[in-house]
Amino acid sequence: MKAAATLRPLSGEPAAVERLVGDWLNARSPSPLTVRTSGSGGEPKDVGLSADAVRASASATLARLGGPGQWVLALPAHYVAGLQVVVRSVLAGTSPVVLADHADLTAATRALTHERRYLALVPTQLQRMLTRRREAAALATFDSVLLGGAAATPTLLAEARRLGIAVVTTYGMSETCGGCVYDGLPLDDVSVRLAAGGRVMVSGPVLFDGYVGQPALTAEVLRDGWLCTPDIGRFDDRDRLQILGRVDDVAVSGGVNVPLAAVQARLTEHPEIAAVAVVGVPDPEWGTRVVAVVVPAAGAEPPGLARVRDFVGEVHPREWAPRTVVVSDELPLLESGKVDRQSLLRAVTGGRD
């Protein structure tokens, strides 16, 4: 028997979530709903989102994309990205087509009835769909394909756009009602600035009310109307935001600060690597040892440690290069589609904390 859908925390089958959220949005002064974070960066937290914030985010998205349309729901409805697909659908007077109810994306696309069509994915989903010709062709029929939840490699974006897929990269988190920066530019009424050290700060009507039951933690990240995110960024020469990594994603190895996200981004460009995650693990000699977990490209031999180190060293200091390479058939993923870094660390360290 399926559990009943709830708003606090948000849970349930997509159709039930759609009904609950629709009633919630139409209610007079409803209490915030609660979205549980995926826990990709540590312990999951319950994030309180007001109806006004959720509505502001969805409305700004529809305005940026060119107007209301019908969505394919390809993400869990109880995480913020899936919730926003539901909310945008409710505001547009449409109902999302649930990908899981169909054989594949091609079949789900045929079920769409609205003139404008949208889809939200994480990079892993897009990468897999591009390997299937019919699904890649279906992707090209969408007015926009939002891509968020994790950094997308330049190679993936270039291939998608070569195939005529209208990819829009998004940056955001549960605390901002999902994506609030599209292709590097904030949505209407959203402001982004960089604090000391490049820390990304966000303000606007899309901000969360706070972490449920954690006022001290809320006060740490909400400061004078600004959300202090865990991310480091910069603005490029077109004044578009680029995310460089997380504040806590720096390993001190042999006395050298190694930005793991930069090493990982470099390795995604290696032609013999299909997917990669770079982590730091405790080491008696180095303090922290940089480890690259790689999934070889189809038909390719995985590159050995020397080649991996040379490849990183071509563009970064040699000291940043991984000291261990672990070959895997796939990377562990959370339900949200993000890499399960905690599971990855346990696997690399043999279960040791």
Side-chain angles (χ1 to χ4, degrees), residues 71-208:
W71 292 75
V72 169
L73 177 61
L75 300 165
H78 57 276
Y79 285 132
V80 73
L83 165 65
Q84 283 293 21
V85 168
V86 172
V87 173
R88 295 166 198 147
S89 301
V90 170
L91 296 186
T94 63
S95 189
V97 172
V98 180
L99 178 59
D101 292 342
H102 297 269
D104 55 19
L105 179 67
T106 306
T109 302
R110 286 198 296 266
L112 292 167
T113 58
H114 199 279
E115 182 179 353
R116 294 190 67 82
R117 49 182 59 182
Y118 300 119
L119 175 65
L121 299 172
V122 297
T124 301
Q125 290 174 304
L126 177 61
Q127 185 175 43
R128 291 171 179 172
M129 289 176 180
L130 291 186
T131 65
R132 298 187 281 266
R133 183 177 57 82
R134 293 173 66 243
E135 290 194 318
L139 285 168
T141 69
F142 285 82
D143 292 274
S144 294
V145 176
L146 301 187
L147 192 64
T153 68
T155 302
L156 177 63
L157 293 175
E159 176 63 10
R161 288 166 177 157
R162 184 187 71 81
L163 294 172
I165 300 166
V167 173
V168 177
T169 61
T170 72
Y171 166 74
M173 56 206 71
S174 299
E175 293 87 341
T176 61
C177 291
C180 62
V181 177
Y182 282 24
D183 283 338
L185 298 176
L187 294 177
D188 293 347
D189 299 323
V190 172
S191 297
V192 176
R193 65 179 176 86
L194 301 181
R199 190 75 167 258
V200 178
M201 309 285 287
V202 178
S203 70
V206 301
L207 294 189
F208 75 133

